[in-house]
Amino acid sequence: MADETIRLTADVVAVAPDAHGTEHVLLIKRRWEPFEGCWALPGGHVEVGEDTADAAARELTEETGVVAPLLVELGAWHAPGRDPRGRYVTVAYRADLPEMVTPTAADDADAAVWQPMHEALTGALAFDHAGIIAAAIAQREH
């Protein structure tokens, strides 16, 4: 049996309404492979000794400039093959913001935009991020 290195990441589904009450999700355009140039949720690697919630909040701020007052854990995504670099497990969080603050792309992000939730789900997103967004919607509805 071969050894398998498992890496830990954290992702954030940041959600905010527009002036008409339509929910938008914050997406970044990835600067690096895999999925360079594709839209994705803000997120990244959990550092040694770091809690996943702290990593999620840090990555959100590093990549978009957005600070979330509260993160609610959605669960873990861990299917083999979800990341072409190898075995990655991500813990995803939802952040509900009262309004769409202007994001500033930085770090691993070439761009950061608020996109209507329904458009984000119908577009091509990196990794399994459409499924994570769908889970965030389902959790909110229950």
Side-chain angles (χ1 to χ4, degrees):
M1 178 181 250
D3 287 340
E4 181 178 40
T5 300
I6 300 173
R7 293 168 185 88
L8 183 61
T9 60
D11 293 307
V12 180
V13 181
V15 178
D18 66 12
H20 305 288
T22 302
E23 283 197 331
H24 286 59
V25 62
L26 183 58
L27 299 176
I28 63 152
K29 185 176 280 189
R30 288 183 54 84
R31 179 171 288 172
W32 317 113
E33 289 294 344
F35 300 105
E36 179 181 358
C38 291
W39 293 104
L41 294 170
H45 292 92
V46 177
E47 295 177 357
V48 174
E50 187 177 35
D51 179 86
T52 57
D54 293 338
R58 175 182 52 76
E59 288 287 345
L60 176 64
T61 302
E62 285 178 0
E63 293 180 350
T64 70
V66 174
V67 176
L70 176 67
L71 296 175
V72 176
E73 187 174 326
L74 294 170
W77 277 255
H78 45 76
R82 65 174 297 274
D83 190 311
R85 297 171 291 186
R87 189 69 184 263
Y88 277 77
V89 173
T90 195
V91 179
Y93 293 85
R94 181 178 172 122
D96 291 301
L97 302 169
E99 61 185 2
M100 294 189 302
V101 297
T102 303
T104 304
D107 196 37
D108 296 333
D110 268 339
V113 298
W114 288 100
Q115 189 171 69
M117 193 77 78
H118 65 280
E119 287 180 23
L121 287 173
T122 58
L125 296 178
F127 308 103
D128 51 2
H129 289 183
I132 296 172
I133 294 170
I137 293 169
Q139 182 193 59
R140 179 110 181 242
E141 292 173 351
H142 287 94

